Amino acid sequence: MLTLTNEMMRAIIMDHYSNPVNKKQPPKDGYEKVHMHSDNCIDDIDVFLLVENGFVTDACFDGVACAISTSSTDIMCDLLKGKEIEKARYIIEQYHHMIHEEEFDDSVLEESLAFINTSKQAARIRCATIGWNAADEILKDK
């Protein structure tokens, strides 16, 4: 497993919050969208996936969200792009296992490992999973 210090995790989260490359409206038609919001935080986002020929060919999101939601969703978009649907679903599943302190495959999570300690702050679990839940909903019937 990649070892990240607390400082490294904070830097990853703040970089994706301050400069989210995937926070935008879809550039064309054909994206599937799921809206998510949180009653306990400012999170109110739309997650967009473009699924073509069995692959997630693009992923983006837009809306208002806290640092944890913005950064985790931005990282998720990076991780899912270009992946076969089954692989994308596997990545989402492994992320959820990590968040809930279950055994997980760290080899597919890359920068999302920055959220490994989220379970220690129960109120932040929703923030860290809101975008992932939206993507999972889009892919569940594929």
Side-chain angles (χ1 to χ4, degrees), residues 40-133:
N40 301 323
C41 194
I42 65 167
D43 304 332
D44 189 13
I45 64 171
D46 292 319
V47 173
F48 305 92
L49 297 184
L50 183 61
V51 180
E52 301 173 308
N53 302 317
F55 285 83
V56 177
T57 55
D58 197 16
C60 57
F61 70 102
D62 203 8
V64 177
C66 70
I68 299 297
S69 295
T70 299
S71 57
S72 69
T73 304
D74 194 51
I75 291 168
M76 177 204 71
C77 290
D78 285 340
L79 285 173
L80 299 186
K81 287 181 193 178
K83 301 294 190 301
E84 287 183 284
I85 290 170
E86 283 304 313
K87 181 69 171 186
R89 291 173 70 197
Y90 180 76
I91 291 167
I92 294 167
E93 176 184 60
Q94 297 310 304
Y95 180 80
H96 281 289
H97 286 321
M98 177 188 72
I99 293 294
H100 296 290
E101 296 184 313
E102 299 167 356
E103 192 171 315
F104 67 95
D105 178 359
D106 66 327
S107 71
V108 298
L109 295 180
E110 299 178 16
E111 284 187 312
S112 69
L113 289 169
F115 299 93
I116 195 165
N117 295 324
T118 301
S119 62
K120 293 172 180 39
Q121 301 172 15
R124 302 308 262 162
I125 290 173
R126 174 76 174 154
C127 300
T129 59
I130 196 166
W132 296 78
N133 291 338

Side-chain angles (χ1 to χ4, degrees), residues 1-6 8-9 12 106 110 113-114 116:
M1 178 193 283
L2 176 66
T3 303
L4 296 173
T5 65
N6 286 338
M8 292 167 69
M9 289 187 273
I12 289 168
D106 66 327
E110 299 178 16
L113 289 169
I116 195 165

